């Protein structure tokens, strides 16, 4: 590509590093941005700079926000004595969208992984244990993904919490609401059968 | 979502307007960016601002570049008397990647479309006709997409160029290199059969 397009190529290369975009879709996105310079490209540049400047992880729970401590941790209403432990901020957002949990969160920032050499101290597990006493927590809800690493992490945390006088629970497993059996994997069907309830 | 996340939500909304990204993938991209603040988020904000400031369409051919006239139009080497007419800058890039065309381009900026009320003056067709004389063009190669609108546009341009003493050609249609017949649509197979050559 010609010399004057170095800027454009640099932008495409950066865009292609976003999850879900490859070189081709990054090119398409950049051309779209160039066409919508005023309505989309400049606002996006500004929004990125704003978020980069203002947003930071909450020192308490690991959620992202604009202050030292996030809004959820600041809210007295949410001091219900329950902490919901999630892997990632995306999971926290998913819980918040469901509007069913009124307590606080703890974002681990990943899962334990022998392969990737992620140990308890690489996650925010020590900080979780420290919060238990300080915030008068009665229940820790483990809302970790049902992957091998997620479940390993859940077991590790449950072990650590033993004898600390807190209830440790995890999300129920079963058939998703609106889910069709035909499209479910065997593991889910097995778990749903094992946890069957009388109607 | 909590108040402090307004910035983040605004960024997600902007990202979701990019082609190929929806609300969910935009969220994922934004969380990724926040994690890679220094390596990715700030450079991306800067690259977007740079391109928004510097890059503009070439007044001659509609390609994008950093000057009034793009590098291809400036290059004397590319004054071969051939103009390749494409719909979009993405198509120009595709031609350039193939490294088979050494002439200049003309980017229409779309196709004629009765449905979307796009007429010849909305595209860069008048400018193309004006270039024919000025740049001593001997051949106009129509490299438009083989959609209905693309082909309508190709015919319209061919009509306009009649009697102007320029050869008007279009890209050959047929089986793509590496293409398997089994995966090709009937139209392509039909076109390939009609344009068969002796070996």
């Amino acid at each position: 590509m010609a010399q004057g397009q170095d800027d454009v190529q640099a932008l495409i290369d950066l865009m292609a590093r976003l999850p879900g975009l490859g070189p081709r879709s990054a090119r398409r996105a950049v051309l779209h941005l160039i066409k919508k310079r005023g309505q989309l490209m400049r606002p996006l540049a500004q929004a990125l700079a704003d978020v980069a400047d203002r947003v930071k992880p909450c020192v308490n729970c690991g959620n992202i926000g604009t202050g030292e401590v996030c809004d959820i941790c600041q809210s007295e209403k949410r001091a219900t004595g329950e902490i919901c432990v999630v892997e990632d901020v995306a999971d926290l957002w998913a819980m918040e969208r469901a509007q069913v949990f009124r307590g606080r969160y703890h974002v681990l920032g990943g899962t334990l992984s022998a392969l990737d050499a992620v140990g308890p101290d690489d996650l925010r597990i020590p900080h979780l244990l420290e919060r238990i006493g300080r915030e008068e927590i009665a229940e820790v809800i483990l809302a970790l993904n049902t992957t091998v690493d997620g479940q390993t992490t859940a077991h590790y945390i449950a072990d650590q919490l033993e004898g600390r006088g807190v209830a440790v629970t995890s999300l129920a497993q079963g058939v998703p609401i609106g889910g069709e059996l035909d499209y479910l994997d065997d593991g889910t069907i097995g778990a749903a059968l094992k946890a069957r309830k009388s109607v």
Side-chain angles (χ1 to χ4, degrees), chain A:
Chain A
M1 222 165 282
Q3 209 188 12
Q5 300 198 335
D6 283 353
D7 284 349
V8 177
Q9 192 55 51
L11 177 57
I12 293 172
D13 291 344
L14 284 169
M15 292 288 287
R17 287 168 57 191
L18 292 178
L21 288 180
R24 181 182 294 267
S25 45
R27 271 201 301 272
R28 232 175 101 221
V30 167
L31 282 173
H32 184 76
L33 282 166
I34 290 173
K35 274 185 207 155
K36 308 245 170 191
R37 192 182 307 242
Q39 307 108 285
L40 190 53
M41 195 175 208
R42 288 188 201 280
L44 183 59
Q46 191 57 50
L48 281 166
D50 285 352
V51 170
D53 286 344
R54 289 184 209 152
V55 169
K56 46 189 168 184
C58 167
V59 292
N60 196 41
C61 76
N63 183 17
I64 55 173
T66 46
E68 277 290 293
V69 174
C70 76
D71 299 304
I72 294 175
C73 285
Q74 270 177 18
S75 164
E76 272 309 311
K77 276 192 199 158
R78 307 206 55 157
T80 59
E82 294 163 323
I83 284 186
C84 178
V85 177
V86 291
E87 274 180 38
D88 215 333
V89 176
D91 300 327
L92 186 160
W93 289 354
M95 290 290 294
E96 285 292 283
R97 280 198 303 277
Q99 298 190 317
V100 287
F101 178 67
R102 302 311 300 160
R104 287 179 179 157
Y105 293 93
H106 195 78
V107 180
L108 293 179
T111 50
L112 296 174
S113 167
L115 260 179
D116 299 329
V118 181
D121 294 339
D122 300 317
L123 306 177
R124 308 182 74 256
I125 292 178
H127 194 88
L128 171 65
L129 303 177
E130 182 259 314
R131 279 181 73 186
I132 303 293
R134 179 160 49 81
E135 297 185 34
E136 295 175 13
I137 299 304
E139 181 176 356
V140 170
I141 301 163
L142 300 172
L144 300 172
N145 294 331
T146 55
T147 55
V148 172
D149 283 343
Q151 294 308 299
T152 307
T153 311
H155 281 126
Y156 177 83
I157 294 175
D159 269 357
Q160 297 292 308
L161 292 175
E162 219 171 83
R164 295 282 302 259
V166 288
V168 180
T169 58
S170 72
L171 294 186
Q173 294 186 345
V175 181
I177 306 299
E180 296 180 42
L181 285 190
D182 195 18
Y183 290 92
L184 284 178
D185 60 298
D186 301 347
T188 302
I189 292 180
L193 183 69
K194 225 188 256 173
R196 65 189 178 277
K197 316 173 291 186
S198 62
V199 280

